[in-house]
Amino acid sequence: MAMGKEEVEIVKARIDKRQYRRIVLRNSLEVLLISDPDTDKCAASMNVAVGSFSDPDGLEGLAHFLEHMLFYASEKYPVEDSYSKYIAEHGGSTNAFTASDQTNYYFDVNPDGFDEALDRFSQFFIKPLMSADATMREIKAVDSENQKNLLSDAWRMNQLQKHLSAEDHPYHKFSTGNWDTLEVGPKAKGLDTRLELIKFYEENYSANLMHLVIYTSESLDTIQNLVEEKFQDIRNIDRSSFHCSGKPCKSEHLQILVRTVPIKQGHKVRIVWPVTPEIRHYKEGPCRYLGHLIGHEGEGSLYYILKTLGWATSLSAGEGDCNLDFSFFEVVIDLTDAGHEHIQDVVGLSFKYIELLQHSGVCKWIFDELSAVCETKFHYQDKIRPIDYVVNTASNMQLYPPRDWLTGSTLPSKFSPSIIQMVLDDLSPNNVRIFWVSKFFEGDTNMAEPWYGTTYSIERITDSLIQEWILSAPNERMHLPAPNVFIPTDLSLRNVQEKVNLPVLLRRSPYSTLWYKPDTMFSTPKAYVKIDFHCPHAGDSPEAVVLTDILTRLLMDYLNEYAYYAQVAGLYYGINHTDSGFQVTLLGYNHKLRILLETIVEKIAIFKVKSDRFSVIKETVTKEYQNFKFQQPYQQAMYYCALILQDQCWPWMEKFEVLSHLEAEDLDNFVPKLLSRAFLECYIAGNIESSEAESMIQHTEVVLFKGSKPLCQPLFPSQHLTNRVVKLERGISYLYPSEGLNPSDENSALLHYIQVHRDNFKLNVKLQLFALIAKQPAFHQLRSVEQLGYITVLMQRHDSGIHGLQFIIQSTVKDPRGIDQRVEAFLKVFENKLYEMTADEFKSNVNTLIDMKLERHKNLREESAFYWREIYDGTLKFDRRESEVAELRQLSQQELIDFFDEYVKVGAPQKKALSVRVYGNLHSSEYKADNSESLEPGSLKIDDIFIFRRSRPLYGSFKGGFGHMKL
């Protein structure tokens, strides 16, 4: 029984039609019930106020390890992994994460499976089983997860900041755990990790430290009965929530400059101050206010000055690591080579901007503007997936009073100059920690962080030294931002005359096509615009690809000071390079969207290369190519697979090679050629009338195609581009082995791809159904049982309308050939399970997939992405989901088995398979052996990707260009 359904007013968005109720069970578990009659998915999240800060000394990672272990089994449901299996079989997903002061467990599922899924979930917190066998295997999984992070700069730098803090403070700890902390170390001390795990669970997991969110389509009363029945047996041992005593940084950890060596190329400076946590003053929003100003990118801002000087390529500011007891405010700046050489000036200018804020005083108009932007954003927020909504809300419940569970700290509403000033005063030279990151420090450091091996050195920096830097920094005119003209004032909804449920071809001309879809679902004052520039010269050589990429970055760069205000006001834009040209995308409040679009089109029309900005962008792109070799091995495997399959795909090495020779004049000469012939494929959706949509594209055509000296000419019929995919040969298993690009990376990876068919509703649903049925068993066998590696997935693959399956596995325990053998062994075992599936099981899986397909889009972005994919691929099957559901309803179990036998089964005569094997340094000898071994019959090794690609036929494209649309 609930102790009472205390009626608390919970602040919700104006457009939010969901119902909410807070209850507290008799065991003190606090619960938020959410009823949403429109939802297609149910979800739950349990937030436990116990995280890695609670790890016992010498058992680092125990809280994270417990998070892994609770998924396995419980007394009520003792079959290992049956929880994950049940969730997968009912169209759902499940996961968890461990933070410093909380662990969050969550799942979503189709409505018909929610009751039992919730029962299984509740048993995590009532009577979990933590078997000895599972314990050992999951320690390996935690270690594999840590292996994945060892060469990640984000993880390394985060741990270095923690390492340089008070050793007796929990912030100092290593949080994820590994083989040494969970197996070797405890064993050496005579400890049994499993017994320590059970003890940790029993001493820390208490109902009074838990917050549960339930999201379903049922009524609040029905949900309440369900929750009371399933969660009242969680023990309440009245644990106090964890609090840190003392501060993480003592005097010796402040006023320091830390030079450190990253894995990747590039320079970064992170300026950090310990501050009062904003959670204590979330209505006043001091960190939000200061982050808004210090992180601003408009004219006169810190970033604008650094960018103008050619010293920075990005800047962010705001609260970083934080909880109720302590917090850090961070300014993170990505530096150019020149910026690295001027680090004292960069730091000096940063403090100069803080001095400007001190002299300007706390401005009410800026706070009011920020508050108005936040309020509009909250009240017109998009619906998101229930699983994401429950996780966010459950985390908020630990921190905020019930009234603010949905808002969190997103609605600063109390103007308090004194509180903002208090945090601003913390941003002082005598309170600072500066982390300066660069490859240039290699060989010049004298210390190493113990968990990741990050090398660093420390120098003391005094208040007076920073004052010198401030005085010697360039005397640039910094000023506060101007009032934001992009804040929408018209949030009314347009009257849509026709209820159009699918996109319609609204307009076609020699220059463009316009697909249009008014908002009939979401009732928000937002719009989505996509203009895809098809330019035949964009992809015809590695030089062209690189120059088109630089062009899009420069356009974004030139727009930034003006359009940053639009982003602050909730109107987002992007200009991105594609295989066939580039795309302009806008998404946000429709009121001032057209102003921004016309500015972007104008920028394209009058584009001129600025040589100083070209140099900065070229340097950035160069570092990205240099860092390619530091990608995770599974990402390298995905790259090779794309290179093998996609006809218009240039290798990164060729692009890198040409990049070094390119100069500003090359881009100047290229842009007129690039834009000389173009065709615009456009999609406009949301709160926009058809006449307005047409007018926007007509204006774009006038600017680009119809002036006295038109920039663009329409394409000839022969110039319409298509994305074509290599057709693998039936009955052949292709193999592409490669050594990992980073000799320091121990991880190997396999991508095992099975090419199946060209888009076809009947074959699509067979493939989807197989993937649904096989996904969780593959994960359980290859990850949980065999412990091949933390990254283990079976997923569908789509390339321009060509469908297939892929297994992606990253591992240190087996070489790629060995992993490949395990994938085939799994398929052989799974074959029997598929054949032995009962009629009821088959029907249940079909119904699950139907429910997943009929799930409605949550917001305009999601809906637009779905329809844009149809336009971009040229398939134009806007009613795809309904058509595939119709095929599913007709599908027989024998047809699924026949599909498996023909396309997927090991040794199937029609099967088309490709194994991309990337060998890490632990398996270099296996690479040499595998490379020299003779191949099995029916196998073919790809020695040269481009010779292979030229030798194979291509699938026909769905995109015949201008003539492919049926009217």
Side-chain angles (χ1 to χ4, degrees):
M1 287 292 294
M3 285 164 59
K5 86 181 163 191
E6 203 181 312
E7 288 302 332
V8 176
E9 190 211 349
I10 296 172
V11 176
K12 67 177 191 174
R14 281 185 207 117
I15 63 170
D16 187 354
K17 297 184 175 67
R18 293 169 287 209
Q19 290 183 299
Y20 299 86
R21 179 185 293 168
R22 170 188 179 263
I23 60 169
V24 182
L25 302 190
R26 65 185 181 198
N27 57 2
S28 297
L29 173 65
E30 204 167 10
V31 188
L32 179 64
L33 313 175
I34 307 175
S35 172
D36 178 4
D38 295 328
T39 190
D40 300 303
K41 273 276 196 289
C42 299
S45 170
M46 178 73 91
N47 199 77
V48 187
V50 178
S52 56
F53 280 2
S54 300
D55 287 342
D57 289 337
L59 278 161
E60 291 83 1
L62 194 66
H64 177 219
F65 177 44
L66 175 59
E67 171 227 302
H68 278 239
M69 285 297 294
L70 290 193
F71 279 81
Y72 266 89
S74 62
E75 279 190 20
K76 185 172 180 181
Y77 298 101
V79 177
E80 189 178 291
D81 231 33
S82 63
Y83 162 75
S84 299
K85 181 171 184 284
Y86 183 86
I87 296 284
E89 286 172 349
H90 291 82
S93 59
T94 181
N95 213 328
F97 65 82
T98 305
S100 58
D101 57 356
Q102 60 176 302
T103 305
N104 194 299
Y105 303 83
Y106 54 94
F107 75 90
D108 68 356
V109 75
N110 290 343
D112 65 339
F114 185 63
D115 194 324
E116 186 174 331
L118 197 63
D119 195 51
R120 290 171 174 275
F121 182 70
S122 68
Q123 296 304 311
F124 288 10
F125 313 103
I126 297 171
K127 287 195 172 173
L129 285 180
M130 302 188 218
S131 71
D133 180 45
T135 300
M136 186 52 68
R137 280 188 277 120
E138 212 52 31
I139 289 174
K140 291 178 182 174
V142 169
D143 187 64
S144 176
E145 186 175 352
N146 181 63
Q147 287 278 349
K148 167 183 74 70
N149 301 334
L150 287 178
L151 298 180
S152 158
D153 281 328
W155 282 94
R156 294 165 72 87
M157 296 309 151
N158 180 49
Q159 190 61 42
L160 179 60
Q161 282 182 246
K162 293 164 71 147
H163 179 64
L164 297 177
S165 67
E167 288 188 26
D168 59 353
H169 193 280
Y171 179 68
H172 182 81
K173 290 181 176 181
F174 168 57
S175 59
T176 52
N178 61 20
W179 183 254
D180 286 338
T181 68
L182 295 172
E183 172 62 17
V184 178
K187 196 170 268 182
K189 295 179 195 161
L191 296 175
D192 181 320
T193 302
R194 178 170 170 265
L195 295 180
E196 294 299 319
L197 182 76
I198 293 167
K199 179 179 163 191
F200 182 82
Y201 177 83
E202 289 178 346
E203 288 181 357
N204 290 281
Y205 271 47
S206 174
N208 71 303
L209 294 183
M210 297 181 185
H211 293 91
L212 175 67
V213 182
I214 304 289
Y215 191 118
T216 88
S217 56
E218 301 287 352
S219 71
L220 292 174
D221 289 341
T222 304
I223 311 172
Q224 180 167 338
N225 291 334
L226 198 64
V227 168
E228 288 171 356
E229 173 202 332
K230 297 187 186 304
F231 290 89
Q232 63 186 359
D233 292 335
I234 297 175
R235 291 177 319 138
N236 178 13
I237 53 171
D238 259 339
R239 282 286 291 173
S240 299
S241 58
F242 182 89
H243 282 291
C244 314
S245 56
K247 299 293 178 195
C249 294
K250 297 179 177 171
S251 58
E252 64 263 33
H253 307 120
L254 300 172
Q255 292 188 286
I256 55 172
L257 172 63
V258 182
R259 291 175 173 84
T260 179
V261 182
I263 296 295
K264 292 186 174 182
Q265 291 291 340
H267 322 285
K268 194 187 288 279
V269 64
R270 190 181 296 268
I271 308 171
V272 185
W273 299 266
V275 297
T276 304
E278 180 160 276
I279 184 67
R280 296 185 197 167
H281 305 287
Y282 65 94
K283 292 289 187 191
E284 293 83 2
C287 289
R288 184 179 284 267
Y289 175 92
L290 294 169
H292 167 65
L293 292 175
I294 299 170
H296 209 280
E297 298 182 17
E299 198 174 324
S301 66
L302 171 60
Y303 176 66
Y304 176 80
I305 301 300
L306 294 173
K307 178 184 149 178
T308 305
L309 291 165
W311 294 349
T313 56
S314 78
L315 183 150
S316 62
E319 199 173 26
D321 279 327
C322 61
N323 67 12
L324 284 164
D325 300 305
F326 68 88
S327 174
F328 294 97
F329 189 93
E330 300 184 338
V331 177
V332 183
I333 307 169
D334 283 309
L335 302 169
T336 60
D337 290 348
H340 175 76
E341 296 302 320
H342 287 87
I343 188 68
Q344 294 178 3
D345 291 328
V346 170
V347 174
L349 284 166
S350 301
F351 276 102
K352 242 183 184 173
Y353 193 85
I354 291 166
E355 281 186 354
L356 166 71
L357 298 184
Q358 290 280 12
H359 296 148
S360 305
V362 179
C363 298
K364 186 170 191 307
W365 77 264
I366 292 177
F367 182 87
D368 289 346
E369 185 181 272
L370 183 62
S371 178
V373 166
C374 290
E375 189 173 357
T376 303
K377 184 176 181 181
F378 176 74
H379 285 296
Y380 294 98
Q381 64 186 284
D382 289 337
K383 253 190 167 182
I384 58 175
R385 299 186 310 159
I387 194 169
D388 299 324
Y389 196 63
V390 294
V391 169
N392 296 345
T393 309
S395 296
N396 278 354
M397 288 169 73
Q398 184 176 320
L399 299 171
Y400 302 96
R403 176 184 165 79
D404 297 323
W405 281 349
L406 304 180
T407 63
S409 60
T410 62
L411 284 180
S413 54
K414 288 184 187 169
F415 180 60
S416 173
S418 60
I419 286 175
I420 295 173
Q421 188 64 49
M422 173 187 72
V423 177
L424 180 57
D425 289 343
D426 283 336
L427 309 187
S428 69
N430 59 19
N431 192 39
V432 76
R433 292 150 59 85
I434 301 174
F435 293 83
W436 184 12
V437 185
S438 175
K439 277 286 213 193
F440 288 8
F441 299 138
E442 222 149 19
D444 292 334
T445 53
N446 59 359
M447 285 177 271
E449 187 279 317
W451 298 107
Y452 291 83
T454 308
T455 57
Y456 69 97
S457 60
I458 301 180
E459 177 187 330
R460 303 295 306 177
I461 46 169
T462 60
D463 189 338
S464 58
L465 180 63
I466 291 178
Q467 292 300 334
E468 283 176 33
W469 294 355
I470 294 169
L471 289 170
S472 64
N475 195 15
E476 300 288 336
R477 187 173 169 267
M478 291 178 172
H479 57 80
L480 296 177
N484 193 336
V485 297
F486 277 104
I487 293 175
T489 52
D490 177 3
L491 296 165
S492 61
L493 298 182
R494 302 287 184 266
N495 287 321
V496 181
Q497 299 304 316
E498 311 151 42
K499 291 290 178 191
V500 181
N501 292 321
L502 298 174
V504 293
L505 183 60
L506 190 61
R507 183 173 182 277
R508 186 166 75 171
S509 78
Y511 317 106
S512 71
T513 53
L514 169 58
W515 296 93
Y516 169 69
K517 166 75 174 64
D519 178 12
T520 54
M521 286 274 293
F522 311 113
S523 300
T524 57
K526 296 179 182 179
Y528 179 98
V529 174
K530 175 85 80 176
I531 303 180
D532 193 13
F533 285 71
H534 291 261
C535 305
H537 298 298
D540 56 15
S541 68
E543 288 93 341
V545 171
V546 174
L547 287 168
T548 307
D549 184 17
I550 293 175
L551 165 67
T552 61
R553 293 170 190 249
L554 280 173
L555 286 166
M556 289 289 284
D557 187 69
Y558 297 169
L559 280 160
N560 193 57
E561 290 79 57
Y562 168 81
Y564 181 76
Y565 285 93
Q567 288 195 219
V568 169
L571 179 52
Y572 304 98
Y573 71 101
I575 306 172
N576 301 102
H577 171 220
T578 67
D579 292 341
S580 57
F582 60 96
Q583 291 176 352
V584 173
T585 310
L586 291 91
L587 173 67
Y589 302 114
N590 57 274
H591 181 204
K592 299 182 179 178
L593 181 146
R594 181 167 186 163
I595 300 167
L596 180 58
L597 175 63
E598 290 183 358
T599 305
I600 291 171
V601 172
E602 190 63 34
K603 261 311 180 210
I604 294 168
I606 62 169
F607 178 82
K608 288 282 178 289
V609 182
K610 298 174 187 168
S611 57
D612 59 331
R613 297 311 301 159
F614 177 89
S615 299
V616 168
I617 299 296
K618 178 181 172 181
E619 184 187 310
T620 302
V621 176
T622 299
K623 285 172 185 163
E624 285 179 18
Y625 282 128
Q626 289 170 333
N627 288 331
F628 187 88
K629 62 177 177 284
F630 299 116
Q631 284 188 328
Q632 296 258 352
Y634 81 90
Q635 294 170 313
Q636 294 175 32
M638 291 169 74
Y639 158 76
Y640 289 126
C641 188
L643 201 59
I644 289 165
L645 293 176
Q646 290 168 11
D647 184 42
Q648 290 296 320
C649 193
W650 300 97
W652 73 279
M653 274 305 297
E654 290 181 12
K655 292 187 281 190
F656 185 34
E657 194 176 312
V658 300
L659 176 61
S660 59
H661 306 296
L662 295 176
E663 300 300 338
E665 307 85 77
D666 297 306
L667 185 60
D668 237 343
N669 296 331
F670 174 73
V671 170
K673 180 187 175 189
L674 173 76
L675 296 173
S676 63
R677 296 276 170 186
F679 183 79
L680 314 183
E681 192 140 39
C682 312
Y683 176 73
I684 297 183
N687 192 38
I688 282 188
E689 291 170 356
S690 59
S691 57
E692 193 180 353
E694 281 198 76
S695 171
M696 286 159 75
I697 300 309
Q698 282 170 332
H699 176 267
T700 302
E701 285 185 357
V702 166
V703 172
L704 298 175
F705 292 93
K706 296 178 180 176
S708 54
K709 289 185 176 174
L711 182 70
C712 307
Q713 296 287 332
L715 295 190
F716 292 117
S718 61
Q719 289 182 297
H720 282 271
L721 297 167
T722 56
N723 298 317
R724 308 273 308 268
V725 175
V726 166
K727 193 173 190 176
L728 301 180
E729 191 172 333
R730 293 183 182 281
I732 301 285
S733 290
Y734 296 94
L735 166 66
Y736 181 73
S738 174
E739 285 189 286
L741 296 169
N742 179 6
S744 303
D745 201 329
E746 296 184 345
N747 291 285
S748 292
L750 168 78
L751 189 154
H752 182 101
Y753 168 66
I754 302 168
Q755 192 176 72
V756 181
H757 67 286
R758 189 169 181 265
D759 191 53
N760 168 292
F761 291 151
K762 191 166 217 36
L763 281 168
N764 292 355
V765 298
K766 292 176 185 177
L767 175 66
Q768 292 158 8
L769 187 59
F770 173 78
L772 174 71
I773 295 168
K775 181 179 178 179
Q776 197 279 330
F779 180 84
H780 175 63
Q781 180 60 34
L782 301 172
R783 155 75 151 75
S784 302
V785 176
E786 299 188 26
Q787 287 297 322
L788 294 181
Y790 180 75
I791 295 171
T792 301
V793 290
L794 164 60
M795 61 192 292
Q796 297 170 66
R797 182 186 178 104
H798 305 305
D799 301 277
S800 302
I802 309 306
H803 299 253
L805 281 169
Q806 57 187 4
F807 290 83
I808 299 172
I809 300 171
Q810 184 163 292
S811 180
T812 53
V813 299
K814 275 197 185 294
D815 68 281
R817 185 179 179 216
I819 305 171
D820 219 348
Q821 289 167 346
R822 297 318 307 153
V823 167
E824 297 219 324
F826 164 75
L827 285 172
K828 285 176 182 169
V829 171
F830 186 73
E831 183 179 315
N832 295 325
K833 291 185 180 175
L834 192 65
Y835 297 161
E836 291 160 12
M837 186 191 301
T838 66
D840 283 349
E841 286 172 327
F842 174 77
K843 186 70 178 161
S844 172
N845 281 306
V846 167
N847 289 338
T848 293
L849 186 55
I850 287 172
D851 287 346
M852 291 167 74
K853 287 194 160 299
L854 294 179
E855 199 175 317
R856 285 160 289 193
H857 299 298
K858 306 290 176 298
N859 53 55
L860 182 62
R861 180 198 293 266
E862 195 180 294
E863 179 191 79
S864 297
F866 177 84
Y867 291 131
W868 177 251
R869 180 68 183 259
E870 296 292 331
I871 295 166
Y872 190 73
D873 285 347
T875 40
L876 302 180
K877 305 288 194 235
F878 298 128
D879 62 348
R880 171 177 301 278
R881 297 192 303 180
E882 295 77 10
S883 300
E884 289 185 348
V885 165
E887 289 289 353
L888 264 174
R889 294 193 197 281
Q890 303 296 317
L891 189 67
S892 72
Q893 189 167 347
Q894 189 57 48
E895 284 178 296
L896 179 64
I897 290 168
D898 292 345
F899 168 84
F900 174 81
D901 288 346
E902 182 175 353
Y903 294 104
V904 182
K905 182 176 176 175
V906 176
Q910 300 296 304
K911 185 173 180 177
K912 300 184 287 185
L914 165 65
S915 288
V916 179
R917 300 174 179 175
V918 176
Y919 290 75
N921 71 16
L922 284 181
H923 302 121
S924 52
S925 58
E926 285 94 333
Y927 171 72
K928 294 182 180 73
D930 291 352
N931 236 358
S932 56
E933 270 188 25
S934 56
L935 295 172
E936 294 173 13
S939 295
L940 190 151
K941 184 151 75 76
I942 299 170
D943 293 311
D944 184 305
I945 288 176
F946 308 104
I947 291 173
F948 169 76
R949 219 163 67 179
R950 287 192 290 270
S951 72
R952 293 300 312 148
L954 303 175
Y955 278 102
S957 170
F958 286 94
K959 200 158 195 169
F962 197 64
H964 81 293
M965 285 151 298
K966 298 182 182 73
L967 290 175

